[in-house]
Amino acid sequence: MARFFIAGTNLLNGPRVIIRGRDAEHVQVLRIRPGEDVTICDTQGTDYKCRLVRADKEEAEFEVVEVVPCRGEPSVEVTVLCGLPKGDRVDYIIQKSVEAGAHGIVFFQSARSIAKPDDPYKKLERWNRISEEAAKQSGRGIIPRVSWAPDYGEVLNTAVHHDLALFMYETGEREPLNTVLEANRSAGSVSILTGPEGGFEPFEADLARIAGLHICSMGERILRCETAPVVAVTAVMYATGNLS
Amino acid sequence: MARFFIAGTNLLNGPRVIIRGRDAEHVQVLRIRPGEDVTICDTQGTDYKCRLVRADKEEAEFEVVEVVPCRGEPSVEVTVLCGLPKGDRVDYIIQKSVEAGAHGIVFFQSARSIAKPDDPYKKLERWNRISEEAAKQSGRGIIPRVSWAPDYGEVLNTAVHHDLALFMYETGEREPLNTVLEANRSAGSVSILTGPEGGFEPFEADLARIAGLHICSMGERILRCETAPVVAVTAVMYATGNLS
């Protein structure tokens, strides 16, 4: 069933939901007719099963038929903190992390980031649109927020404000990811740090260790920078019973 | 360290390894000089640490310095059986499944496959080259084979010739993936069936059930057809202790 979010100019008005702008156009594109149903999510974890009353290019009006908790939300809040990679790898990381169940995604300029955007904040609108599309497609109950961290200190500060903070590293002394997750199955929030194409500089790992993050190994296979986040999020979802 | 496979025209000759063709060109592109080391894998799970002796555009000769078991191979053999999706999703599924640790990948025309190649066998060379590149990048000890199954009966037959056979389905009566995997942690081989863009037809799920596959749920989030295989392979790797 088609899925929309009560966000932007869309609004819930008593027993009615009004969808506007790009979403209203989407209703037309999907040829949804009056009397047909869609799911409209309040981005707070609640789904409204709604029936189309009327629609034009600017606006579509639905009546609420049923209110149910959104089942697409995992019980654990996972934040992906990712050293900025090149080009479309960013889009890919956003889309796949949202599908896999991430609650938020933060990009930052890490020491080996090749991409050096003049103004990363300009990209946030587009990045968040990718997140919204992926959230619709995958039936999420929220729109995971994509944001930018100006420096590594803020990245580490964000990371440690989770019940469990993980730093994915390819070398040196590390804890096996499954051991760390088995010991923290009840964590309500988890942060995952992954690097850009060239991985992390040793000093970045050292600082993470000092800050109290778990330096984790995901096995002997080398994962591309755009693959590591979805693999790590999936491991957390599996360990916390959110992949069943 | 650069990685090559003893495959095609490359050969291990006593204490020497000869690399030819595209790989020899790659040695030049990487500007590897005599005296510098690379890893050359026999595709059987053994790595040879080798030192370059001489190289030109056609051929590079290395001397074997050290022989070690390849650490990139998981203890479980996972075969991905995937209903053929459109275009570059195939490339993506191959690359990410190999990174995640798949042992082999089989594509087939499932009922809702939109892509209908005249001769899928013509595509195998390119598909296997994508697998080889991903295997090099991720440090695998084998080159996972990409093949084509002519009909669904053969797909199911391949699936059930594994210790554990899983059918990933989005609806109806299903077993939670983690429950199935927890109960089969010692499985030496696992097959994973995933669908194309439109998912599976009910009859495909019914046949799988009759054939004895576990019809599994990967949670309430809808995964794209190119995302499901990497998530499923990762779950198997995690459950079998190969993600640590």
Side-chain angles (χ1 to χ4, degrees):
Chain A
M1 196 185 305
R3 187 172 183 83
F4 299 93
F5 285 108
I6 297 168
T9 56
N10 302 341
L11 69 93
L12 172 66
N13 181 4
R16 300 277 162 131
V17 177
I18 308 297
I19 295 295
R20 301 194 178 92
R22 279 189 300 116
D23 284 346
E25 289 170 28
H26 197 203
V27 169
Q28 302 265 309
V29 170
L30 293 173
R31 293 201 165 73
I32 298 166
R33 303 280 173 231
E36 292 179 2
D37 294 346
V38 304
T39 302
I40 303 178
C41 178
D42 68 355
T43 75
Q44 311 295 313
T46 300
D47 281 352
Y48 296 80
K49 188 181 169 197
C50 295
R51 192 153 295 159
L52 183 62
V53 176
R54 57 171 189 79
D56 57 37
K57 284 200 305 299
E58 280 70 40
E59 192 175 281
E61 183 180 352
F62 295 84
E63 62 176 334
V64 176
V65 178
E66 189 183 8
V67 182
V68 294
C70 173
R71 301 182 311 165
E73 276 314 292
S75 63
V76 59
E77 290 189 359
V78 177
T79 304
V80 171
L81 298 132
C82 183
L84 188 69
K86 282 163 70 179
D88 61 4
R89 287 184 176 140
V90 175
D91 304 10
Y92 171 80
I93 288 167
I94 296 168
Q95 183 188 72
K96 299 311 177 199
S97 297
V98 169
E99 278 183 76
H103 188 266
I105 302 155
V106 181
F107 289 103
F108 62 97
Q109 191 91 55
S110 80
R112 294 182 184 168
S113 287
I114 297 155
K116 304 214 183 299
D118 305 333
D119 184 356
Y121 293 95
K122 281 190 189 154
K123 298 180 178 287
L124 288 178
E125 187 191 345
R126 190 174 149 274
W127 289 350
N128 277 282
R129 204 153 56 229
I130 294 168
S131 174
E132 180 174 350
E133 286 312 311
K136 281 180 184 174
Q137 280 243 1
S138 54
R140 294 293 303 272
I142 65 163
I143 303 171
R145 181 158 167 271
V146 186
S147 53
W148 176 261
D151 64 64
Y152 192 56
E154 180 165 322
V155 170
L156 292 179
N157 184 48
T158 302
V160 296
H161 280 80
H162 290 72
D163 298 341
L164 180 65
L166 310 174
F167 183 96
M168 301 304 167
Y169 202 35
E170 284 169 12
T171 174
E173 189 192 327
R174 299 163 296 169
E175 301 173 79
L177 177 61
N178 56 354
T179 309
V180 174
L181 291 178
E182 295 302 320
N184 293 276
R185 281 170 171 273
S186 60
S189 65
V190 179
S191 59
I192 297 170
L193 248 80
T194 64
E197 285 83 354
F200 285 113
E201 286 283 350
F203 84 85
E204 293 175 309
D206 295 341
L207 286 174
R209 201 184 298 269
I210 292 162
L213 280 75
H214 293 267
I215 312 299
C216 294
S217 147
M218 288 201 286
E220 296 300 334
R221 288 171 298 287
I222 312 285
L223 299 173
R224 286 167 184 254
C225 63
E226 76 271 21
T227 314
V230 62
V231 166
V233 171
T234 297
V236 172
M237 292 299 153
Y238 184 88
T240 56
N242 285 290
L243 208 66
S244 59
Chain B
M1 197 186 301
R3 189 173 182 81
F4 299 93
F5 285 108
I6 297 167
T9 56
N10 302 340
L11 67 93
L12 172 66
N13 181 4
R16 299 277 162 132
V17 178
I18 308 296
I19 295 294
R20 300 195 178 92
R22 280 188 298 115
D23 284 346
E25 289 171 28
H26 196 203
V27 169
Q28 302 264 309
V29 170
L30 293 173
R31 294 203 163 72
I32 298 166
R33 303 281 173 231
E36 293 179 359
D37 294 346
V38 303
T39 302
I40 303 179
C41 178
D42 68 354
T43 77
Q44 311 294 313
T46 300
D47 280 352
Y48 295 82
K49 187 182 168 197
C50 294
R51 191 154 296 158
L52 183 61
V53 176
R54 56 170 190 79
D56 57 37
K57 281 200 306 300
E58 280 71 40
E59 192 174 280
E61 182 179 352
F62 295 85
E63 62 177 334
V64 176
V65 179
E66 190 184 7
V67 182
V68 294
C70 173
R71 300 181 311 163
E73 277 314 292
S75 63
V76 60
E77 291 189 359
V78 177
T79 304
V80 171
L81 298 133
C82 184
L84 189 69
K86 284 163 71 178
D88 61 5
R89 287 182 177 142
V90 174
D91 305 9
Y92 170 79
I93 287 167
I94 295 168
Q95 184 188 72
K96 299 313 177 199
S97 298
V98 169
E99 278 183 77
H103 187 268
I105 302 155
V106 181
F107 289 103
F108 62 97
Q109 191 93 54
S110 80
R112 294 182 184 166
S113 287
I114 298 155
K116 304 213 183 299
D118 305 332
D119 184 358
Y121 294 95
K122 280 189 189 155
K123 298 181 179 288
L124 288 178
E125 188 191 343
R126 191 174 148 275
W127 290 349
N128 278 282
R129 203 153 54 228
I130 294 169
S131 174
E132 181 175 349
E133 286 312 311
K136 282 181 185 172
Q137 281 243 357
S138 55
R140 294 292 304 272
I142 64 164
I143 304 172
R145 181 158 166 270
V146 186
S147 52
W148 176 262
D151 64 63
Y152 193 54
E154 180 166 322
V155 170
L156 291 179
N157 183 48
T158 302
V160 296
H161 281 80
H162 289 71
D163 298 342
L164 180 64
L166 310 173
F167 182 96
M168 301 303 166
Y169 202 35
E170 281 168 17
T171 174
E173 189 192 326
R174 297 163 296 170
E175 301 173 76
L177 177 60
N178 56 356
T179 310
V180 175
L181 291 178
E182 295 302 320
N184 293 276
R185 281 171 171 272
S186 60
S189 65
V190 179
S191 58
I192 296 170
L193 248 80
T194 64
E197 286 82 355
F200 285 114
E201 286 283 351
F203 83 84
E204 293 175 307
D206 295 341
L207 287 174
R209 200 184 299 268
I210 291 162
L213 280 74
H214 293 267
I215 312 300
C216 294
S217 148
M218 287 201 287
E220 295 302 334
R221 289 171 298 286
I222 312 286
L223 298 174
R224 287 168 184 255
C225 63
E226 75 272 20
T227 313
V230 62
V231 166
V233 172
T234 297
V236 172
M237 291 299 152
Y238 184 88
T240 55
N242 284 288
L243 209 65
S244 59

